[in-house]
């Protein structure tokens, strides 16, 4: 041939393309473990280190099947020395670790201040020092709550107005991130997502608590009249939203993640009972949560239009059915936490008479 030296193939690359080192905090919890499973399935270049303190809410069993593909470090996000070392080895930090349950925050706020505020501060100082890309996972609860008939939904410009020790410490952690971006040029993004459901959620949370109660032959427990509305999203849709923001989001910006899944609690309980072949009215009303937020609702237009994200789970009932099937098939996963969780609830929650006024309609629809 006429090929010249300049046209010849370049010398073979020594070694392979550098993979992406990802530090996932809280990766033994509900959303973090699902993030790890999803990322390993979809991102062959991802090298994952999980940092998790294995509190009551975290279990290595949530990483079954992938523990040999990741590095697992048991430790506290408020341990500055450990965090400095792990962040120094990472290209990206995705921060899920938190105290996450409102009822626990009412019983004892201190771990929420420690993990959600001091822990986030510790991570921010490390990403600042090592100039590492950081994504901060937060909640729609930072915006407070809405009236049932309010046509508005939460958006990126809604003022912060948190209600509980949980949501106020999450709000505080978001504000730390914003300040570290503006003051120190930290390369961070924030997401605020609505209520998640799916596999590996702790049985203290609403949906898994009721599913596992029904499996155990115990009546589901509804707080108050159950007219409170949550905007349910499947955990995998949350995590694809997180990836869209990491891949295409603007540094310093906030994106809301939601899948238009508003349903009130009494409807969810009836759906669970029906899907499990029980009388839809076979549930108890129990003591209401103090300061109980009435309604959350997310407008995720920005994420959809600017970053091209779409949820995959559009039908709540089929996502719920898949979740019920998961809990039926994975009793080994949840059984160890069930009795202790119910004992904690029994100490503060009593069965009350179903409220007559303001009780849900037979169809239970909220809007
Ligand atoms: P989770 O309680 O199931 O998991 C939290 C994980 O963090 C656990 O594995 C726990 O061991 C770990 N952890 C707690 N304190 C730690 C510490 N000090 N150091 C290291 N690890 C620690 O919570 P989740 O529901 O998976 O929530 C994950 C994140 O998503 C939280 O930041 C939460 O605020 C946010 N979020 C949750 C929802 C939801 O519906 N669950 C919705 C929106 C946002
Ligand atoms: O047994 C119950 N009965 C009941 O009626 C429980 C545990 C809850 N509820 C109600 C309270 C809420 O209105 O169900 C709704 C959902 O309760 P949780 O599962 O505790 O979730 P919520 O308080 O809405 O917060 C959740 O979504 C936002 C997560 O726990 C947070 O981490 C996330 O930020």
């Amino acid at each position: 041939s006429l090929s010249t030296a300049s046209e010849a193939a370049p010398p073979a690359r020594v070694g392979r393309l550098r993979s992406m080192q990802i530090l996932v905090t809280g990766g033994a919890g509900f959303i973090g473990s699902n993030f790890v499973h999803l990322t390993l399935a979809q991102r062959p270049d991802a090298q994952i280190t999980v940092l998790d303190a294995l509190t009551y809410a975290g279990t290595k069993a949530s990483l079954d099947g992938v523990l040999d593909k990741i590095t697992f470090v048991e430790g506290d996000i408020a341990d500055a020395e450990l965090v400095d070392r792990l962040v120094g080895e990472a290209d990206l930090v995705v921060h899920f670790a938190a105290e996450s349950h409102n009822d626990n925050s009412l019983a004892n706020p201190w771990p929420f201040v420690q993990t959600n505020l001091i822990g986030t501060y510790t991570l921010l100082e490390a990403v600042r020092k090592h100039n590492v890309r950081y994504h901060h996972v937060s909640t729609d609860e930072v915006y407070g709550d809405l009236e049932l008939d309010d046509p508005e939904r939460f958006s990126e410009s809604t003022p912060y107005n948190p209600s509980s020790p949980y949501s106020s410490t999450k709000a505080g952690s978001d504000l730390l991130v914003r300040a570290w971006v503006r003051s120190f040029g930290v390369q961070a993004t924030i997401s605020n997502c609505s209520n998640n459901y799916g596999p590996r959620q702790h049985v203290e949370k609403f949906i898994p608590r009721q599913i596992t109660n029904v499996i155990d032959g115990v009546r589901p427990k509804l707080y108050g009249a159950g007219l409170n509305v949550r905007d349910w999203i499947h955990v995998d849709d949350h995590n694809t939203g997180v990836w869209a923001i990491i891949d295409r989001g603007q540094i310093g910006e906030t994106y809301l993640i939601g899948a238009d899944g508003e349903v009130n609690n009494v409807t969810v309980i009836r759906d669970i009972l029906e899907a499990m072949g029980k009388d839809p009215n076979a549930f108890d009303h129990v003591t209401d949560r103090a300061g109980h937020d009435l309604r959350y609702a997310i407008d995720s237009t920005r994420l959809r239009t600017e970053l091209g994200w779409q949820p995959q789970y559009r039908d709540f009932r089929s996502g719920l059915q898949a979740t019920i099937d998961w809990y039926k098939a994975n009793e080994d996963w949840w059984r160890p936490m069930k009795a202790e969780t119910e004992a904690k609830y029994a100490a503060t929650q009593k069965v009350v008479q179903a409220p007559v006024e303001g009780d849900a309609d037979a169809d239970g629809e909220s809007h």
Side-chain angles (χ1 to χ4, degrees):
S1 84
L2 298 173
S3 84
T4 63
S6 65
E7 288 168 317
R13 193 180 276 278
V14 180
R16 55 199 177 93
L17 278 174
R18 194 163 162 274
S19 57
M20 190 188 215
Q21 302 286 333
I22 310 175
L23 179 64
V24 178
T25 73
F30 165 45
I31 305 172
S33 65
N34 280 289
F35 181 85
V36 171
H37 288 281
L38 182 92
T39 300
L40 289 172
Q42 296 189 346
R43 304 250 165 174
D45 62 329
Q47 295 285 325
I48 295 180
T49 297
V50 166
L51 171 60
D52 197 295
L54 297 181
T55 68
Y56 82 95
T59 168
K60 273 177 138 179
S62 291
L63 294 166
D64 270 358
V66 296
L67 276 168
D68 58 341
K69 299 186 180 72
I70 64 168
T71 304
F72 184 87
V73 179
E74 182 174 347
D76 195 321
I77 55 165
D79 178 342
E81 215 172 295
L82 174 63
V83 163
D84 182 74
R85 176 168 71 76
L86 295 175
V87 169
E89 295 165 356
D91 304 309
L92 163 70
V93 175
V94 190
H95 177 35
F96 292 94
E99 286 292 336
S100 69
H101 194 38
N102 277 297
D103 292 322
N104 293 341
S105 83
L106 297 166
N108 178 17
W110 167 244
F112 291 76
V113 172
Q114 170 65 24
T115 288
N116 300 355
L117 290 170
I118 309 293
T120 298
Y121 159 80
T122 307
L123 286 163
L124 285 171
E125 283 293 84
V127 295
R128 172 188 174 198
K129 176 175 159 193
H130 296 285
N131 193 24
V132 172
R133 175 82 169 82
Y134 171 87
H135 181 75
H136 185 75
V137 177
S138 192
T139 171
D140 62 355
E141 298 193 19
V142 300
Y143 302 113
D145 62 353
L146 298 162
E147 293 299 329
L148 294 180
D149 59 359
D150 193 333
E152 293 296 312
R153 300 187 290 172
F154 300 139
S155 75
E156 286 78 6
S157 57
T158 304
Y160 275 37
N161 185 28
S163 313
S164 74
Y166 164 67
S167 53
S168 62
T169 55
K170 289 298 291 186
S173 74
D174 295 7
L175 298 182
L176 292 177
V177 178
R178 291 183 181 189
W180 261 241
V181 169
R182 172 137 179 193
S183 305
F184 305 123
V186 160
Q187 303 286 297
T189 43
I190 299 175
S191 54
N192 296 83
C193 188
S194 58
N195 282 61
N196 286 216
Y197 71 93
R200 306 182 196 90
Q201 185 170 31
H202 196 283
V203 296
E204 71 190 353
K205 301 297 195 320
F206 181 52
I207 288 178
R209 184 184 185 200
Q210 315 314 336
I211 294 171
T212 53
N213 274 354
V214 174
I215 292 173
D216 280 351
V218 173
R219 289 161 69 94
K221 308 295 178 211
L222 184 67
Y223 294 177
L227 298 181
N228 311 65
V229 171
R230 296 295 180 265
D231 192 350
W232 294 100
I233 181 172
H234 192 278
V235 61
D236 286 342
D237 283 333
H238 180 182
N239 283 325
T240 60
V242 167
W243 267 117
I245 297 163
I246 293 167
D247 285 338
R248 301 186 289 283
Q250 271 185 57
I251 298 300
E253 293 300 313
T254 290
Y255 299 86
L256 267 56
I257 308 177
D260 302 329
E262 283 187 70
V263 193
N264 70 17
N265 293 342
V266 69
T267 303
V268 173
I269 285 215
R270 289 189 172 128
D271 284 353
I272 291 170
L273 282 161
E274 229 175 316
M276 297 181 77
K278 306 286 179 200
D279 172 359
N281 292 312
F283 60 86
D284 292 332
H285 294 265
V286 299
T287 321
D288 206 353
R289 173 183 287 171
H292 196 172
D293 280 340
L294 188 52
R295 170 170 165 249
Y296 306 139
I298 289 253
D299 178 352
S300 60
T301 302
R302 181 176 198 193
L303 184 65
R304 293 170 195 241
T305 56
E306 289 184 22
L307 305 187
W309 172 86
Q310 292 282 338
Q312 297 302 309
Y313 292 79
R314 288 147 193 281
D315 176 32
F316 176 65
R317 284 199 179 153
S318 61
L320 186 62
Q321 183 63 58
T323 305
I324 291 169
D325 294 343
W326 189 88
Y327 281 89
K328 281 184 178 166
N330 290 278
E331 188 167 339
D332 287 357
W333 181 90
W334 58 265
R335 179 59 65 197
M337 44 188 105
K338 183 64 179 168
E340 195 189 337
T341 302
E342 286 306 316
K344 232 172 14 177
Y345 277 136
T348 53
Q349 296 175 2
K350 301 289 171 243
V351 175
V352 293
Q353 200 94 51
V356 179
E357 268 187 346
D359 198 3
D361 304 326
D363 70 1
E365 289 302 329
S366 65
H367 52 94

